[in-house]
Amino acid sequence: MEREGRAGGAASGELVTIGEFARLSRLSAKALRRYDELGLLRPALVDPVNGYRYYDPAQVEGARLVAWLRRIGMPLNRIGRVVALDAGAAAVEIRAYWARVEAETAARRDLAMYLVDHLSAEGGTMSRMPDNAENKRSSGSAGSSGSAGSSGSVGALAIRCAALTDIGVVRTVNQDAAFAGPRLLAVADGFGEGGAEASAAAIEALKPSTWGRDGALSAADLLNALEDTADSAARAVRDAVAPCEAPDGSGTTLTAMLWTGSRLGLVHIGDSRAYLLRGGELFRITHDHSLVQSMIDDGSLSPEEASSHPGPALLLKALVGEARPAAVAVACRPDVRLQEVLAGDRYLLCSDGLSAVVDTADLRTAVVAADDPEEAVRRLVGLAREAGGPDNVACAVADVVVE
């Protein structure tokens, strides 16, 4: 009789007990109590005498959404934000979350493939391009001196580099930062109230890093050192933007290369980019952590359509001021990788103030034509300004040379 009464209540739109609501929503009573405590799914009524929870059958769809989001692995704190949105905004948020999951999976795959290759080579030099390099081949003649790779070079290698930032034509504040030194090449694109402080702090955190010369550190030790460096940058950004009114709204991208004497250690998060010019061809060797890139990856947007996509530049990963739970913090870590180098390689790191307004063919032409890194960064900033300079610009260029 009691079960019939509960079913009748549900059919008539009256409140139902937690047990009946658990059956309707396919959630356990324990989960419902937990979601109530977290504010994700409040009962319609709590009896003030006995504490029994009662639910409105109209809440079933919301409860099922919570269950589905938990099934795809979304953290409870993020679910709370999604269920508070209207249907269209919730769909955008779910797409962004899943794109980040896929980006993290791809990053782990790339690291796994690197480790397979490294262990298979047993210490031999790997000369092939990394699996996640994006070939941006352009027509035109081969590069000038310093831009064509040669695997036959002998002797110690070094880098010659330069960096430059520019406020652009439209912005009134420069939140980009860039650095070029004998051991570090980096660009960072800050955003939010504390963007300038965030970008500067991220790069500054990399400068004290100590890196062994060739043979001093194994590949495994170098990867661990890169992870530690990335964690230091994340902490530095959180500290830098802590005084802001809304620290979680401020942060920065970061793309950096640390020179070990024979290899470059890559640290990357956000939509700033790293390119490699080798043998006259320009390769993009980083993957944007952005919603637009995720739409390109899943085929819902072509690269040509992406260049004129009207939506905001929504980042899926960045260094931000928000303190995150451990599991989320790990998922939002920068990508780290070791990059094998050849004498004659030329590397370009840049913020989206350059890559978003200058097409790849023009980037390649400028990088190839420059005699040295100083000339290259001046040419590149000039191209961004000629294209309207709608954003701050940061770029750094390095040549790998035989000492």
Side-chain angles (χ1 to χ4, degrees):
M1 291 295 294
E2 183 182 357
R3 181 171 177 81
E4 291 176 0
R6 288 200 300 269
S12 63
E14 298 173 358
L15 300 185
V16 297
T17 64
I18 189 172
E20 179 64 12
F21 191 73
R23 184 186 68 81
L24 294 171
S25 63
R26 304 292 181 89
L27 290 169
S28 68
K30 180 179 179 180
L32 289 172
R33 285 191 288 269
R34 175 63 172 158
Y35 296 160
D36 179 15
E37 293 168 359
L38 295 173
L40 287 177
L41 189 63
R42 296 290 194 189
L45 174 68
V46 177
D47 191 304
V49 177
N50 55 32
Y52 289 169
R53 295 172 172 85
Y54 295 90
Y55 293 83
D56 189 327
Q59 295 178 276
V60 167
E61 286 304 313
R64 287 175 177 168
L65 176 60
V66 172
W68 291 330
L69 294 175
R70 285 298 290 158
R71 188 173 295 178
I72 67 172
M74 185 177 286
L76 288 171
N77 63 338
R78 188 159 185 170
I79 290 176
R81 296 197 298 269
V82 171
V83 297
L85 300 172
D86 61 47
V92 171
E93 183 72 11
I94 294 168
R95 173 187 277 277
Y97 166 76
W98 192 249
R100 194 192 73 191
V101 170
E102 290 183 329
E104 288 299 325
T105 301
R108 290 194 293 271
R109 178 203 64 209
D110 291 341
L111 179 57
M113 291 302 98
Y114 168 80
L115 293 173
V116 169
D117 288 346
H118 172 74
L119 294 173
S120 299
E122 294 183 348
T125 300
M126 294 175 291
S127 59
R128 70 175 182 82
M129 293 302 300
D131 287 340
N132 69 337
E134 302 190 26
N135 189 344
K136 302 295 181 180
R137 186 171 185 172
S138 307
S139 61
S141 61
S144 61
S145 176
S147 60
S150 171
S151 60
S153 299
V154 294
L157 298 177
I159 59 172
R160 302 286 182 263
C161 53
L164 186 62
T165 66
D166 185 75
I167 196 171
V169 176
V170 177
R171 299 293 178 89
T172 57
V173 176
N174 191 355
Q175 293 187 310
D176 282 11
F179 180 83
R183 306 299 292 277
L184 172 66
L185 198 71
V187 298
D189 182 356
F191 56 85
E193 176 192 354
E197 293 79 6
S199 60
I203 292 179
E204 194 65 30
L206 303 186
K207 292 180 183 179
S209 300
T210 56
W211 299 86
R213 283 293 179 182
D214 192 20
L217 290 177
S218 68
D221 288 337
L222 283 172
L223 284 170
N224 289 338
L226 283 172
E227 292 277 6
D228 293 342
T229 298
D231 290 343
S232 296
R235 288 193 298 270
V237 169
R238 288 197 298 271
D239 292 343
V241 303
C244 297
E245 284 190 18
D248 57 342
S250 296
T252 185
T253 69
L254 177 65
T255 300
M257 287 183 145
L258 295 106
W259 176 240
T260 69
S262 64
R263 283 179 287 206
L264 285 165
L266 175 67
V267 177
H268 168 69
I269 187 168
D271 62 357
S272 295
R273 293 179 175 180
Y275 294 88
L276 164 63
L277 182 71
R278 176 179 289 175
E281 295 192 23
L282 190 66
F283 302 88
R284 175 153 63 101
I285 58 174
T286 53
H287 195 75
D288 292 351
H289 300 134
S290 67
L291 182 58
V292 167
Q293 181 63 57
S294 75
M295 295 171 72
I296 295 173
D297 295 341
D298 66 20
S300 59
L301 199 66
S302 71
E304 293 73 24
E305 292 169 333
S307 62
S308 58
H309 190 265
L314 178 61
L315 293 175
L316 302 180
K317 287 172 56 175
L319 300 179
V320 297
E322 179 183 14
R324 292 164 163 170
V328 178
V330 169
C332 292
R333 270 183 170 174
D335 298 340
V336 298
R337 193 178 74 245
L338 299 183
Q339 176 76 24
E340 300 293 337
V341 300
L342 299 177
D345 285 348
R346 174 169 282 181
Y347 288 89
L348 163 64
L349 277 57
C350 66
S351 64
D352 69 341
L354 177 65
S355 60
V357 299
V358 178
D359 65 36
T360 307
D362 291 337
L363 281 180
R364 176 193 172 278
T365 298
V367 174
V368 166
D371 290 332
D372 54 43
E374 290 81 2
E375 181 184 347
V377 295
R378 289 195 299 270
R379 283 176 178 263
L380 292 166
V381 168
L383 285 175
R385 293 186 71 89
E386 289 170 9
D391 199 356
N392 306 149
V393 183
C395 59
V397 173
D399 288 346
V400 180
V401 300
V402 178
E403 286 187 317

